[in-house]
Amino acid sequence: MQEKYIPAQVEEKWQHQWESGKAFKVAEDRSKQKYYLLEMFPYPSGRIHMGHVRNYSIGDVLARFKRMRGFNVLHPMGWDAFGMPAENAAIQNKSHPAKWTYENIDYMRGQLKKLGLSYDWDREVATCNVDYYKWEQRVFLEMYRKGLAYKKTSFVNWCPKCDTVLANEQVEDGCCWRCDSEVVQKELEQWFFRITAYADELLEYTDKLPGWPERVLTMQRNWIGRSTGCEIDFPLEGHLSSIKVFTTRQDTLYGATFMSLAPEHPLALELATPERRAEVEEFIEKVRKTDRIKRTAEDFEKEGVFTGSYCTNPVTNRRMPIYLANFVLPDYGTGAVMAVPTHDQRDFEFARKYDLPMQVVIQPEGVELTPATMTAAYTEEGIMVNSGQFDGIRSSEAKERIADYLEKEGIGKKTANFRLRDWGISRQRYWGSPIPIIYCDLCGVVPVPEKDLPVLLPMDVEFSGEGGSPLAKAESFRNVTCPQCGEIARRETDTMDTFVESSWYFLRYCSPDCNTGPFDREKAEYWMSVDQYIGGIEHAVMHLLYARFFTKVLRDLGYMAVDEPFVNLLTQGMVIKDGSKMSKSKGNVVDPDALIRKYGADTARLFSLFAAPPEKDLDWSDQGVDGSYRFLNRVWKLVSDNISFIGNAGPVNPSGLTEEGKALRRIVHKTIRKVTEDVEDRFHFNTAIAACMELVNALYGFEGKNAPQNAAVLREAIESILLMLAPFVPHVTAELWQATGHPGTMEEHGWPSYDPEAVVDEELLIIVQVNGKLRSKVTVAADAGEDEVKAAAQADEKVIPHLEGKIIRKVIYVPGKLVNIVVG
């Protein structure tokens, strides 16, 4: 072997061998236990960054480790290729989004291959390929027929910069999740997926995902937001209809003194009397321009306007004025709130501002509240008052009894409400999957017949960056014949939200060449569910929730029998440099290509895995990178220096080893045990690498390396180091494995196992304390009894001076660790 470690030569050699030999190609094999390992696929933005390096290195460690453990590992890669950045780049560069996207894919694929990632590239998927999105269109039609895809007019989140709609989950602190522009409200006709039909199951199954971080599950539970209460009808004065309200506080119903509607409520303008209409319209327009997040903030000023209309409290017959209020949202509950100012702080502030009536209906024990003396709403449990037949009972008990009463009288009913809203999937952009719908003046909404799929995204469109999607202006695409009546019709020109593509890509990997459906059922049911999914926590209530929903839809459409897409989830931390997340705008980006050119891919991988546990943020350190590179050089030199000595060594004979040899073998097998547990059970890659580094240090300090009887244990130690490091730094270990005379691959050899007898210490080092202070350490036989250990501690020459002239009150022994002698 060559004396010097030259990463570029080693890595180019092994990457070529892996690719030409299709080393990581996999097929279904029911004689083996399967393991589906997946990292969230990237958007082909043009270049990978250190966050990608870390994420994919974490996944690759697990994939390689599981192969060495005998699993049939599926580890694919693809591209989340539709989306606004490609369209924006096309406008800026006067090119086509497809050209920009495919060029980026080619470049990024090359970057990933240079990292030595063990992907089965034959399963590569790009969501912008028609062979992918045509199946998505078929699923859309099936969902449409089942009522799971529908169109309605609604107020939507609109990003003026991206010129498109955003789902609720894509609005972060009132801003677009992509470009940080302030989001406004706009009324549009939109296509929706009825994710609310699965709200109960999505919530229920959060308790069946023990392999997910509790933080992510909590975020999903909060986003789904199930609350139980009552729907109550408040008759409208002068109308035959009523206002329907959802409340979790039916115990306060007798204290409802006015009604608050969301300005977007369908009745808002209808209820405005002629003399109030102008003021109502002005208020609605003002609220429409107000950020939704701000509207629900506790410190946001509560404002409203009286409509001029009234409704009736169904249990008190009180005449209740109807207001529009800026803090009421249209998509929570029914968009109407029965206002109980004495027992809800927002209602209290609103009532004080507009001098509206108040009625106390819950009193704290031993205290008498009155509206005149209250400085804030009373929201705790108490005793019912001014509540008819329910006076005198505890409010917690009254909740159930009032709910029963409402149902008995036909005034309301018990129900559950969800914070979750249906998923708006319409996007007014070009670079996405066309929605397979046609509009005909005679036939109405007409789904594209399945025989006419796919609806191809036209390539001959112009990008100006103005006026929304170019599809709306592309007459050759828009104008079409109605498949039902043959008359002139028009296509839907919105495209699907790109989160639709990422909601099922993991299924396409199971059979990427399937031409009879989205995926082959038999193959999907072999590989699914994904055993380990890896990605950022920022996707907790977008991608991860949508993927769970889509999996359940595909199950119910008969495509497979899988309930959940991902068994285990690891959310990796960010890469931090100079105190903040790496980003071009902050000027703290480290270019992976430059890092690999200087140090090699194995060093980049090793540092990203050693510097922090996977779930924690990684602080970038140039010194840490240098240290990782020096360690790999030490491993190379260790093999180079000893290769002739261990070349012909046979298997280890434990009884024939010197004392130094036995000690080394004990360290080797303890290290194998620790590294195995750290990788397999805990994903503590950093401590696993640290244990390997300690073993390398032990080998450099091994004093028995020249004794012929120790050649076998030295060979075992070096082989074990290479095998344990192989998932982390695959190139250099493959080269050194070959140099030490092994004809097969490390995956074929398998992960090393430890000898239980070898890890048993023959001697123990016991700490000796006197009155809790360290005084000495003594060595005893591993099988020494308690009395023997205590006697050795008291007889130690460093301990005796601290015992002279004193009475030994007690001797405390912690088995295998310490003796504490208490004297007085």
Side-chain angles (χ1 to χ4, degrees), residues 84-109:
M84 289 181 285
E87 197 164 336
N88 293 337
I91 293 166
Q92 293 167 8
N93 302 322
K94 296 184 179 179
S95 65
H96 196 281
K99 181 176 183 293
W100 185 85
T101 299
Y102 286 113
E103 285 176 353
N104 287 349
I105 286 174
D106 288 343
Y107 189 87
M108 291 176 70
R109 185 192 301 112

Side-chain angles (χ1 to χ4, degrees), residues 238-252:
H239 293 70
L240 295 176
S241 59
S242 61
I243 293 178
K244 193 178 294 293
V245 165
F246 171 80
T247 181
T248 60
R249 293 296 310 274
Q250 59 268 23
D251 54 324
T252 66

Side-chain angles (χ1 to χ4, degrees), residues 544-797:
L544 290 170
L545 187 62
Y546 295 153
R548 294 183 60 219
F549 160 66
F550 220 75
T551 297
K552 295 174 189 298
V553 169
L554 290 169
R555 174 201 65 194
D556 292 348
L557 291 175
Y559 282 99
M560 58 177 179
V562 176
D563 293 322
E564 287 285 340
F566 315 119
V567 178
N568 297 293
L569 173 68
L570 172 65
T571 53
Q572 88 284 352
M574 297 184 296
V575 180
I576 306 294
K577 189 171 188 286
D578 303 327
S580 59
K581 179 182 177 182
M582 282 190 183
S583 70
K584 291 180 181 178
S585 61
K586 293 188 174 74
N588 62 348
V589 171
V590 173
D591 178 16
D593 285 349
L595 191 70
I596 291 170
R597 281 194 298 271
K598 183 174 181 181
Y599 294 104
D602 281 340
T603 293
R605 290 171 59 121
L606 186 66
F607 171 75
S608 69
L609 296 163
F610 177 58
E615 72 279 6
K616 302 293 185 183
D617 289 345
L618 182 156
D619 279 313
W620 185 264
S621 165
D622 293 334
Q623 293 81 7
V625 174
D626 284 333
S628 297
Y629 181 63
R630 286 197 302 273
F631 171 70
L632 294 182
N633 276 277
R634 292 192 79 209
V635 173
W636 185 278
K637 187 174 187 301
L638 179 70
V639 176
S640 177
D641 288 351
N642 292 282
I643 195 165
S644 59
F645 179 64
I646 65 174
N648 297 316
V652 175
N653 176 14
S655 62
L657 296 174
T658 65
E659 289 303 311
E660 294 90 350
K662 290 178 182 179
L664 176 63
R665 189 163 190 263
R666 190 174 303 115
I667 294 171
V668 170
H669 285 264
K670 281 186 173 183
T671 304
I672 293 171
R673 180 176 64 182
K674 176 173 175 52
V675 172
T676 303
E677 291 171 353
D678 282 352
V679 174
E680 190 164 51
D681 301 333
R682 295 184 282 267
F683 295 174
H684 287 180
F685 303 147
N686 56 325
T687 57
I689 293 168
C692 291
M693 290 177 171
E694 290 175 10
L695 179 54
V696 169
N697 290 338
L699 287 170
Y700 268 98
F702 180 46
E703 295 179 355
K705 64 179 65 175
N706 294 322
Q709 62 267 47
N710 288 337
V713 75
L714 186 59
R715 182 179 183 88
E716 180 189 52
I718 289 174
E719 287 178 347
S720 298
I721 276 286
L722 297 178
L723 290 166
M724 287 187 287
L725 285 174
F728 303 96
V729 286
H731 308 88
V732 65
T733 51
E735 182 69 13
L736 294 175
W737 184 254
Q738 187 181 74
T740 50
H742 296 88
T745 67
M746 304 177 90
E747 283 82 4
E748 290 167 349
H749 181 279
W751 186 257
S753 58
Y754 71 90
D755 180 353
E757 292 185 7
V759 300
V760 176
D761 288 309
E762 295 182 357
E763 293 182 327
L764 297 175
L765 187 65
I766 303 295
I767 291 170
V768 183
Q769 298 175 338
V770 177
N771 288 345
K773 292 184 178 179
L774 176 65
R775 296 304 182 188
S776 187
K777 297 177 183 178
V778 296
T779 301
V780 298
D783 58 357
E786 181 174 343
D787 291 341
E788 186 179 348
V789 175
K790 287 180 178 179
Q794 294 174 56
D796 184 80
E797 61 181 15

